[in-house]
Amino acid sequence: MTVGLKLTPLSIVGYSNMKIKIKREEFTEYEVDLENVTLLEVLNEIKTTQDPTLSFSSGCRSSVCGSCSVRVNEREVLACSYHPKDGDVIEPLRNSPILRDLVVDMDKAYDFNAKAKAWQSSLSKDVALTPEDEKMNEIQSDCILCSACYSACPVYAVNEEFLGPFSLTRVWRYVSDKREIDSKDKIDVIQTNGVWDCTLCNECTVVCPQDISSKADIEKLRARSSMAGYMDPSFANFGGGFGSFDGSPSF
Amino acid sequence: MQCDVLIVGAGGSGLVAAINAHESGAKVIVLTKEYPTRSQTCMAQGGINAALGNAGEDSVESHIANTLKSAHGLADESSVEFLCSNAPKALEWLDSIGVPFSRTDDAKIAQRKLGGASSSRACYAQDYTGLKILHTLYDRCLALGIEILSERYLLECITNTTDSNLDVSGVSVLNKRSGEVEIYSAKSVILATGGYSRVYNTHSTNSVSTTGDGIATAYRAGASVSDMEFVQFHPTAMKNSAILISESARGAGGYLLNSKGERFTNELAPRDEVARAIDDEILKGEDVFLDIRHLGEEFIDEELPQERKLARLYENVDPVYELIPIKPVAHYTMGGIEVDKNSQTSIKGLFAVGECSNHKVHGANRLGGNSLLELVVFGKQAGENAASYSKNKSQHISVDSSTCSLVDDAMSNDTLINFYEKQKELGELFYLYVGVKRDKSTLEEVKGKLLDIKKDVAKMGVEDKSKIYNTNLIEFLEFKNILEISELILLGAINRDESRGAHYRVDDMQEDDSRFKAHTVINSGVLKYED
């Protein structure tokens, strides 16, 4: 019955159990007897053997569907690619309403893709793309919409309507695509609650499991905006940009 | 809620169907039990087949011939012809909506070789082909303003009988967030709910959501299912995690090695043959490895970046320098809801597409690169046909909005037995005895054990009594679907006294065309073989 499963001789090596805290209505501590596993495997173990009421989302187990992002010790991770250790504190993502335990409602976050018009506006056939053209947005199109960047973004503390890191990366993914002939709509729409609202704090880049830098994409979109005749409204209004919220360097 | 075309499932096939139904003028709603972009499609790595000839000579005829050969006589020739001849157009469309395919130096879509293919035919976007296609389709749906409602779990297809025909009139779903049963009434319904590889529990490359919900639901509603015994085992899943390493690694020249460092099979044979060859080695006590070291770091980082990442993360090996330990696990299910030439099921107005359907293009063994193609080609067909069906249907039939006994039963069952344990037990049984190789007598034993589990279902239920986001409830309902699907797989496997493609019976190792060059069709427990 246990083909493919190797029993870990925990008691023999005297392996101590791992305790983790999970934020539910209150912080709840769980103890598991596992070694060399992902956080997702730990959550599954808890749910299937200890507490079936624990709620979390998961899908592919292989870091590509974006379902299982949570915060561990105040840092966004995919549960399926994080190896937990004793004392870890697990919380749901920020900036989205908590539905239950580690599950948040992503509808509003996802809606920003539509608000930012993150799609190809001009459907064109037979546009020749070289490997260099394709490289322009190869990394950006690796996005799995896990929402880690959205959770890590400090702008939502002051502006709930900020289009946000993943949507703006998605806009750049299409704006930079040679097949997109008409990107004006997208450049227009990202002027409000968009590229200029970002503090360039780089938190999004740090937490991205796919090594995407939304901050860098936003800077590229700012340059495109300037080329289209737009300017940073904070320069216009205040005569100078404001610093980032968390004091981290802007560049 | 009312609409013309209701689509259940927001993976590749569901979204292609939605786009095409919308463009045909229908009011479309898409329901998904997760969010769009989280479906199984995002896990497809290797590529999508089309005879474009961008990387050496190729033809639609060769694509057809390769597909039919791999199908072992169980594919429908005209369906395969439809699939392969529409492939170049499908790729042109994907390119036009912005899928970021990898490119050749002369600015064409790059293509590479997968198993069983006579040419480099698989168009790819690094090894993120499914992810990039799926996300681009989602963006297209947003551009068109298609309504997608997330976190709705399919409970039942609602049908009624008109002129002695079974006719679909909508579906009931469980809103995971509110815990309420919701009724969606529609003139036509498309199921695009994915396959059933998670019957094999952790012995599968698939997402935990691939539990055959749509197939079980359609079957309960009276639809026919077919060829359920044909389950594809992917040769190269990683040994510990069962996470997929794409066939493109072998297509590029990767070797399979045993513990002695010897190659033991043609790495680019169709998947059923390679999986059996690996199984033979494992039975001899060998460990089996995938070796791509000789492809070099630059090539691996350029063409197979995800594979390197996954191997490091989940197997703790760097394939640039080390061997990847592998084993075959359940990967794709060829069987599904029986559909006709229009993607319509045996229930009028109910269509099915993608892995949950059986369009008879894969037969006994699917070729790598043909499933992404299937979802584009037949997604379009299903979307257009469902839209035109809905136009010819004048009125919505009022549907009863009573509560759903599925949910009530699950919530009121005793919880004397932990269903998660039974799910695991069943997965182990299926992996061992309903896997790469099968034997009639052990299949019968597994059936006995399955029936024992089914008998105890009333003692298994949901401990979590919350209405809000009750994943314990959802997982129990998925488990019940798995039980239904398991029985259908066994029924097909026990009766098919021969070996064909992925169905390999050690007690009957020959193909028997005289009796079994036919589809296993099951309706309400009755099995028939049909051409």
Side-chain angles (χ1 to χ4, degrees):
Chain A
M1 281 303 107
T2 52
V3 161
L5 299 170
K6 286 212 179 80
L7 294 174
T8 314
L10 294 172
S11 52
I12 299 170
V13 296
Y15 197 82
S16 61
N17 293 349
M18 174 167 54
K19 286 180 187 158
I20 61 169
K21 269 195 189 133
I22 300 178
K23 183 154 189 277
R24 309 189 63 185
E25 284 178 0
E26 290 169 0
F27 278 101
T28 310
E29 189 170 80
Y30 294 94
E31 194 173 333
V32 288
D33 223 8
L34 298 167
E35 199 189 356
N36 288 328
V37 289
T38 63
L39 174 58
L40 180 59
E41 289 170 281
V42 169
L43 295 175
N44 277 324
E45 174 75 8
I46 294 168
K47 185 166 184 74
T48 58
T49 65
Q50 296 182 28
D51 185 351
T53 69
L54 179 67
S55 300
F56 55 92
S57 295
S58 75
C60 71
R61 316 123 40 244
S62 58
S63 318
V64 74
C65 78
S67 302
C68 66
S69 35
V70 293
R71 297 175 84 228
V72 177
N73 308 330
E74 306 190 329
R75 178 51 49 104
E76 284 74 11
V77 297
L78 294 174
C80 72
S81 66
Y82 176 79
H83 291 268
K85 55 186 191 312
D86 193 43
D88 278 348
V89 178
I90 323 296
E91 295 174 90
L93 294 182
R94 297 188 308 177
N95 296 332
S96 293
I98 295 169
L99 287 167
R100 190 177 173 197
D101 299 342
L102 300 174
V103 184
V104 298
D105 182 341
M106 298 276 213
D107 278 356
K108 185 177 175 189
Y110 273 30
D111 280 347
F112 285 122
N113 283 327
K115 286 186 179 152
K117 299 184 191 270
W119 52 70
Q120 186 166 302
S121 303
S122 50
L123 297 197
S124 41
K125 282 180 184 164
D126 303 323
V127 177
L129 249 63
T130 63
E132 292 69 38
D133 294 330
E134 184 264 328
K135 289 279 167 289
M136 285 290 289
N137 52 34
E138 180 184 322
I139 289 282
Q140 288 80 359
S141 57
D142 287 345
C143 174
I144 59 173
L145 286 180
C146 67
S147 223
C149 56
Y150 186 90
S151 169
C153 179
V155 174
Y156 289 100
V158 292
N159 182 2
E160 289 184 358
E161 295 308 313
F162 179 45
L163 292 172
F166 68 71
S167 295
L168 290 168
T169 278
R170 230 166 165 84
V171 170
W172 175 252
R173 173 244 179 285
Y174 284 104
V175 165
S176 61
D177 196 307
K178 201 176 158 193
R179 288 167 292 191
E180 178 63 285
I181 294 154
D182 182 15
S183 57
K184 186 177 180 302
D185 270 10
K186 285 189 272 290
I187 296 296
D188 289 348
V189 84
I190 59 171
Q191 300 307 313
T192 310
N193 298 319
V195 289
W196 309 108
D197 291 66
C198 170
T199 65
L200 305 181
C201 75
N202 211 32
E203 284 296 313
C204 51
T205 311
V206 175
V207 299
C208 179
Q210 294 290 76
D211 297 328
I212 299 165
S213 173
S214 289
K215 178 217 170 205
D217 297 334
I218 289 167
E219 288 179 305
K220 286 179 267 187
L221 285 169
R222 285 184 176 187
R224 283 289 178 102
S225 300
S226 301
M227 282 158 62
Y230 287 107
M231 62 187 289
D232 185 342
S234 60
F235 281 104
N237 297 337
F238 307 115
F242 44 79
S244 58
F245 292 106
D246 61 354
S248 62
S250 299
F251 301 101
Chain B
M1 290 278 262
Q2 278 193 355
C3 63
D4 299 327
V5 178
L6 182 74
I7 297 167
V8 187
S13 56
L15 296 184
V16 173
I19 291 165
N20 283 282
H22 174 90
E23 288 180 339
S24 304
K27 179 179 166 16
V28 175
I29 293 179
V30 183
L31 304 174
T32 163
K33 72 171 169 176
E34 312 171 286
Y35 287 85
T37 74
R38 290 185 178 179
S39 71
Q40 186 60 39
T41 307
C42 75
M43 296 175 73
Q45 298 172 356
I48 170 168
N49 288 337
L52 303 179
N54 292 351
E57 214 169 290
D58 198 7
S59 67
V60 169
E61 289 70 30
S62 306
H63 187 184
I64 294 170
N66 294 160
T67 303
L68 289 174
K69 181 162 187 252
S70 177
H72 290 268
L74 210 60
D76 180 280
E77 287 190 27
S78 64
S79 297
V80 171
E81 201 183 313
F82 182 79
L83 177 78
C84 300
S85 58
N86 276 290
K89 233 185 330 183
L91 265 293
E92 189 180 278
W93 180 69
L94 290 174
D95 192 29
S96 79
I97 62 171
V99 175
F101 287 110
S102 297
R103 296 282 159 170
T104 63
D105 288 337
D106 55 350
K108 291 177 179 159
I109 293 174
Q111 296 189 280
R112 64 183 164 202
K113 202 162 176 173
L114 296 180
S118 58
S119 308
S120 294
R121 188 177 295 137
C123 306
Y124 62 95
Q126 299 82 46
D127 48 3
Y128 282 118
T129 316
L131 177 82
K132 297 194 180 192
I133 290 176
L134 180 64
H135 280 244
T136 309
L137 290 170
Y138 168 62
D139 297 340
R140 194 79 232 126
C141 287
L142 295 185
L144 297 171
I146 292 168
E147 188 171 7
I148 303 174
L149 300 172
S150 298
E151 306 206 292
R152 265 74 172 186
Y153 175 86
L154 176 64
L155 293 168
E156 300 289 13
C157 286
I158 301 166
T159 57
N160 54 289
T161 310
T162 42
D163 310 328
S164 75
N165 279 319
L166 207 50
D167 206 334
V168 76
S169 48
V171 303
S172 59
V173 299
L174 181 69
N175 181 328
K176 285 162 78 173
R177 296 171 184 169
S178 67
E180 297 293 338
V181 175
E182 297 173 343
I183 306 290
Y184 291 82
S185 130
K187 292 179 183 171
S188 62
V189 174
I190 303 175
L191 295 176
T193 47
Y196 48 91
S197 286
R198 285 299 290 200
V199 165
Y200 295 80
N201 202 32
T202 52
H203 304 289
S204 164
T205 58
N206 281 205
S207 157
V208 295
S209 292
T210 315
T211 48
D213 305 326
I215 300 171
T217 304
Y219 182 76
R220 283 198 299 273
S224 299
V225 297
S226 56
D227 299 332
M228 295 293 286
E229 64 272 33
F230 291 97
V231 176
Q232 177 165 82
F233 278 66
H234 198 290
T236 59
M238 286 189 285
K239 195 178 173 192
N240 291 319
S241 60
I243 286 169
L244 175 68
I245 295 293
S246 168
E247 190 162 278
S248 50
R250 279 173 288 134
Y255 301 136
L256 291 171
L257 303 177
N258 60 22
S259 311
K260 303 182 194 79
E262 296 162 346
R263 290 175 69 189
F264 54 86
T265 188
N266 167 16
E267 285 88 352
L268 281 179
R271 288 177 182 171
D272 56 336
E273 291 173 35
V274 182
R276 276 197 297 279
I278 294 171
D279 197 60
D280 288 341
E281 292 297 309
I282 291 172
L283 289 175
K284 281 187 231 160
E286 299 284 334
D287 287 319
V288 180
F289 303 91
L290 176 64
D291 183 4
I292 59 170
R293 294 173 299 178
H294 53 290
L295 302 182
E297 183 164 15
E298 194 186 338
F299 179 88
I300 291 169
D301 283 347
E302 178 60 36
E303 302 280 314
L304 305 166
Q306 187 180 193
E307 314 309 336
R308 188 177 188 188
K309 177 180 163 175
L310 295 176
R312 289 163 101 164
L313 195 54
Y314 296 105
E315 207 70 28
N316 205 21
V317 298
D318 185 344
V320 170
Y321 308 107
E322 295 166 279
L323 303 177
I324 312 171
I326 56 101
K327 66 178 180 190
V329 302
H331 178 62
Y332 183 90
T333 46
M334 273 75 75
I337 306 165
E338 172 78 351
V339 290
D340 64 15
K341 297 276 175 214
N342 303 311
S343 295
Q344 190 167 214
T345 70
S346 54
I347 297 175
K348 274 182 70 187
L350 181 67
F351 296 77
V353 69
E355 197 175 342
C356 76
S357 67
N358 183 8
H359 277 83
K360 305 196 175 74
V361 289
H362 308 308
N365 177 55
R366 178 177 71 86
L367 272 190
N370 269 356
S371 58
L372 286 176
L373 176 61
E374 173 190 17
L375 65 84
V376 182
V377 171
F378 290 103
K380 178 174 158 65
Q381 185 196 59
E384 289 173 351
N385 288 343
S388 94
Y389 180 92
S390 73
K391 273 180 205 153
N392 296 327
K393 195 167 164 182
S394 54
Q395 268 186 335
H396 284 273
I397 296 157
S398 68
V399 286
D400 180 16
S401 63
S402 59
T403 54
C404 179
S405 63
L406 268 182
V407 174
D408 294 344
D409 291 350
M411 294 302 278
S412 58
N413 274 5
D414 289 334
T415 52
L416 303 169
I417 299 172
N418 180 345
F419 75 85
Y420 293 115
E421 277 171 25
K422 294 291 157 189
Q423 187 167 354
K424 195 172 161 192
E425 198 179 306
L426 189 68
E428 298 293 332
L429 282 171
F430 263 66
Y431 184 59
L432 285 175
Y433 306 118
V434 200
V436 175
K437 293 173 189 156
R438 302 154 177 195
D439 178 275
K440 189 164 186 131
S441 59
T442 24
L443 288 172
E444 298 275 13
E445 281 177 44
V446 174
K447 191 178 174 190
K449 294 201 164 140
L450 170 67
L451 294 179
D452 287 345
I453 295 174
K454 285 189 84 168
K455 222 164 34 198
D456 282 340
V457 163
K459 295 180 207 156
M460 304 171 207
V462 180
E463 282 185 57
D464 186 351
K465 299 301 176 194
S466 166
K467 272 194 92 138
I468 308 300
Y469 220 90
N470 189 336
T471 50
N472 190 212
L473 168 63
I474 299 291
E475 285 162 4
F476 180 69
L477 296 173
E478 289 174 337
F479 170 66
K480 285 183 70 178
N481 285 337
I482 282 175
L483 294 180
E484 290 187 54
I485 300 275
S486 300
E487 202 169 347
L488 295 169
I489 298 172
L490 286 171
L491 189 57
I494 289 169
N495 280 283
R496 187 174 281 276
D497 293 322
E498 64 152 2
S499 291
R500 187 181 295 272
H503 172 70
Y504 191 84
R505 282 264 301 268
V506 292
D507 57 318
D508 220 327
M509 296 197 285
Q510 298 304 313
E511 278 187 22
D512 180 357
D513 280 354
S514 64
R515 293 169 64 204
F516 292 113
K517 197 182 170 193
H519 300 282
T520 310
V521 179
I522 308 175
N523 189 299
S524 310
V526 180
L527 183 149
K528 283 185 200 156
Y529 291 102
E530 292 178 9
D531 285 339

